[in-house]
Amino acid sequence: MPGSHPPVIVIGTGLSGLSAALALARAGREVVVLEAADSLGGCCSTNEINGYTFNNGAVYVAVPSLLRRAFDQLGLNFDVEVPLVSIEHPHETHLDDGTVVHLGALDTARMEGHRASARTALLRDGLHKLQSNWQPIYRRLLDGVLPFEPSLPRTLAQLWRYLPELGGRADRLIARYFPDPALQAAVASTLLYTGTAPGRLPSSQLIGLLALLEEGFHLPKTGMGAITTALHRALLTLGVSVRYGCNVVQIEVASAGVTGITLAGGEHIPARDVIATCSGFSVVNRLLPSTAVPPALRRTARKAPLSHRAIAVQLGGRFEASSNAFIVNHVPDMDRQGAMHLAATDTPRWLSWTSPSQVLTGLAPAGKAVLELYAPVSGIERAEAWTPAMTEHALETHLAALRNHLPALEIDTVRTLDPQAFVRERHLHEGALYGIAPGANPNTYFPHRTALPGLYLAGQTTFPGFGVATSMYSGLQAVESLLLARRQL
Ligand SMILES: Cc1cc2nc3c(=O)[nH]c(=O)nc-3n(C[C@H](O)[C@H](O)[C@H](O)COP(=O)(O)OP(=O)(O)OC[C@H]3O[C@@H](n4cnc5c(N)ncnc54)[C@H](O)[C@@H]3O)c2cc1C
């Protein structure tokens, strides 16, 4: 019953925080939801500027079945709450020799250029074999692993027979299924979002391509923010409101465990349980008194590999696209794609962008379009070493590169989010986009339940917290751990 337990504090209103708050409220627990920003949604939200809707993080939905299931667990009908539009032409890759590769559902995948029809057959054959061989892995991950609290015995029981396939490197797997270098380059470019070269990623990262083949890519009808807005709507119906502008600067601890939090303004809110959905690195390095950090958490914070940083360059204006693809890549061959993750000193030859208004025209004023790209950031140890001049340079060089591909580009609105803006506005630790580097071993992530009584973690630095659907699960799993722990006491 509400009131019979002290309130639980949830830090953050991204997908994981809203899911956790909703699960707690449904379990009859009183919840205090604190958000440092002045609006909700974290990395799954949008901002409207001059009539253009720009993403604040996630750009598309890859595994809608998992989202449906997470919503269902919260008593919500996803298809009613968040109607989706399927992206019909999701992925187009251009190579230096003029070859164009279109990736999507098997019967839409095709190639343009030299020997187009023979190579289209090769492409479809490779995709078909990959899909057939990996479908059981995909299903087991979705049905038997990701929705549950991470556990090595569970993962092994579900996936042991696929370990040889999962254990290799992404580039080798790609080369095995796709002998043609152009096809390799196109398939490898589905991994660009990771910020890591295909030769340094485990083959399990190809699950993103499987998601494209199995379920397609999608956008909520009104943009990515519709998902967090729907969760917030449900929270309000349970009488829980969010406190905005509440930057938690300390998690208070006494000998028996957590005793509450302190906000930037000095306000103290007592609580016995806190679910922190901000980065695990921030919890360890900033929010906990250093004497209270459990040694295992300290080790995780020291060893876990930070994900990459990048500058979001978001443009509103008029451009004549040569195609209606959502993701457009201009890439070198697979072995050289790692270079695309290094900051360029000059106009970059290769780049990748998305255009959400190709799918949802309402995201831009009539006749205009939204185009978003991520310019790489490299060569800095800390986000604070990044300077506005570096952002200016990256903007200039990337606009020049874009104009090489879209000569008729007329820009009227520009928004950039550099590593410091990602820290300041999205509260991402060190501006690292995904918290922990994609492809890192699951046991390098932070746990949902910590050794400090009353402290639970969720979000993208916990496993499987990265991604729209899986970050919801991390919130749900942190709540399960909390309720279980409280029942055991
Ligand atoms: C650039 C980018 C592109 C992405 N693209 C995709 C994609 O296309 N598809 C996909 O599936 N996934 C994508 N992702 C991943 C996905 O968006 C995230 O994994 C997910 O949204 C993270 O949700 P979260 O709740 O864990 O964290 P967040 O959304 O970061 O939420 C954390 C919240 O906590 C708040 N907060 C932080 N510190 C404090 C504090 N001290 N006090 C109070 N509040 C605090 C923050 O303001 C924020 O609102 C992308 C992520 C990024 C950054």
Side-chain angles (χ1 to χ4, degrees):
M1 294 295 289
S4 59
H5 299 280
V8 177
I9 291 177
V10 174
I11 304 176
T13 62
L15 287 158
S16 58
L18 290 169
S19 304
L22 201 46
L24 286 164
R26 280 168 53 82
R29 299 298 300 267
E30 205 178 316
V31 201
V32 175
V33 188
L34 303 171
E35 170 55 58
D38 55 11
S39 57
L40 66 96
C43 292
C44 188
S45 62
T46 56
N47 265 32
E48 199 185 311
I49 303 173
N50 298 337
Y52 295 98
T53 302
F54 295 125
N55 287 310
N56 289 327
V59 293
Y60 61 87
V61 169
V63 194
S65 60
L66 211 48
L67 265 177
R68 268 185 203 106
R69 188 167 163 168
F71 266 65
D72 192 50
Q73 242 171 281
L74 289 166
L76 299 169
N77 181 329
F78 180 71
D79 295 305
V80 171
E81 297 291 335
V82 190
L84 290 182
V85 176
S86 170
I87 302 177
E88 283 184 10
H89 187 177
H91 198 276
E92 179 178 297
T93 307
H94 297 250
L95 297 152
D96 288 348
D97 66 359
T99 306
V100 186
V101 184
H102 302 266
L103 292 180
L106 215 50
D107 53 348
T108 62
R110 67 191 168 87
M111 289 193 59
E112 291 172 49
H114 180 58
R115 292 178 50 242
S117 68
R119 292 162 95 199
T120 294
L122 263 185
L123 170 63
R124 291 185 184 178
D125 181 56
L127 290 174
H128 174 68
K129 285 188 177 131
L130 183 73
Q131 189 174 5
S132 317
N133 292 346
W134 276 61
Q135 202 173 43
I137 302 178
Y138 185 75
R139 290 262 57 96
R140 278 176 179 262
L141 267 175
L142 260 56
D143 298 337
V145 178
L146 296 176
F148 303 97
E149 176 62 26
S151 110
L152 188 60
R154 167 180 280 281
T155 306
L156 286 178
Q158 292 290 328
L159 295 174
W160 65 269
R161 73 181 66 153
Y162 308 109
L163 289 181
E165 188 79 348
L166 284 165
R169 264 173 34 184
D171 59 339
R172 292 194 184 138
L173 184 88
I174 293 170
R176 185 141 56 84
Y177 282 93
F178 304 95
D180 182 321
L183 298 182
Q184 292 173 8
V187 171
S189 77
T190 62
L191 301 171
L192 283 175
Y193 79 94
T194 63
T196 306
R200 301 181 59 196
L201 285 171
S203 45
S204 55
Q205 283 298 308
L206 262 296
I207 217 72
L209 175 61
L210 249 284
L212 173 61
L213 297 172
E214 289 282 310
E215 302 193 45
F217 288 170
H218 306 263
L219 289 184
K221 258 189 185 159
T222 51
M224 291 302 290
I227 309 174
T228 40
T229 304
L231 294 174
H232 181 236
R233 213 168 33 235
L235 203 53
L236 287 177
T237 64
L238 295 179
V240 180
S241 53
V242 173
R243 287 186 57 187
Y244 297 102
C246 289
N247 189 5
V248 175
V249 290
Q250 178 124 30
I251 295 172
E252 311 289 356
V253 176
S255 56
V258 165
T259 59
I261 59 92
T262 301
L263 297 177
E267 184 186 349
H268 174 73
I269 306 177
R272 216 168 46 151
D273 293 305
V274 169
I275 297 182
T277 74
C278 46
S279 161
F281 296 105
S282 306
V283 171
V284 170
N285 298 332
R286 281 194 308 112
L287 301 189
L288 281 177
S290 66
T291 50
V293 178
L297 276 194
R298 196 184 293 287
R299 272 197 301 280
T300 301
R302 209 173 43 238
K303 288 191 180 158
L306 262 193
S307 99
H308 63 301
R309 304 178 176 95
I311 307 165
V313 176
Q314 303 179 315
L315 309 173
R318 214 178 282 280
F319 66 95
E320 264 175 48
S322 52
S323 81
N324 64 351
F326 173 69
I327 299 173
V328 177
N329 297 325
H330 289 262
V331 298
D333 55 32
M334 176 165 72
D335 294 343
R336 289 185 295 158
Q337 286 182 17
M340 292 180 72
H341 305 304
L342 302 174
T345 47
D346 242 325
T347 306
R349 183 157 153 211
W350 301 293
L351 80 169
S352 167
W353 67 81
T354 50
S355 182
S357 57
Q358 295 281 21
V359 183
L360 303 173
T361 51
L363 299 181
K368 303 217 175 158
V370 173
L371 192 153
E372 302 183 327
L373 64 84
Y374 283 86
V377 161
S378 57
I380 53 164
E381 289 288 314
R382 306 285 315 268
E384 64 191 17
W386 193 256
T387 65
M390 293 170 172
T391 301
E392 274 306 303
H393 178 72
L395 178 62
E396 226 170 82
T397 51
H398 281 77
L399 287 184
L402 261 183
R403 287 207 160 88
N404 288 339
H405 300 294
L406 302 168
L409 185 65
E410 288 172 32
I411 300 164
D412 60 49
T413 301
V414 178
R415 177 171 85 151
T416 55
L417 288 167
D418 65 15
Q420 296 209 10
F422 275 116
V423 174
R424 204 173 48 244
E425 294 174 29
R426 303 264 68 83
H427 306 97
L428 290 180
H429 173 75
E430 282 294 335
L433 295 187
Y434 308 154
I436 291 178
N441 193 319
N443 66 19
T444 59
Y445 283 71
F446 289 88
H448 293 125
R449 182 177 177 181
T450 73
L452 182 64
L455 177 65
Y456 301 86
L457 306 177
Q460 54 180 9
T461 54
T462 63
F463 192 83
F466 167 73
V468 167
T470 39
S471 54
M472 283 189 69
Y473 276 110
S474 75
L476 297 177
Q477 287 161 12
V479 170
E480 269 171 35
S481 306
L482 185 157
L483 296 177
L484 190 69
R486 284 296 165 206
R487 267 201 298 274
Q488 283 165 351
L489 291 179

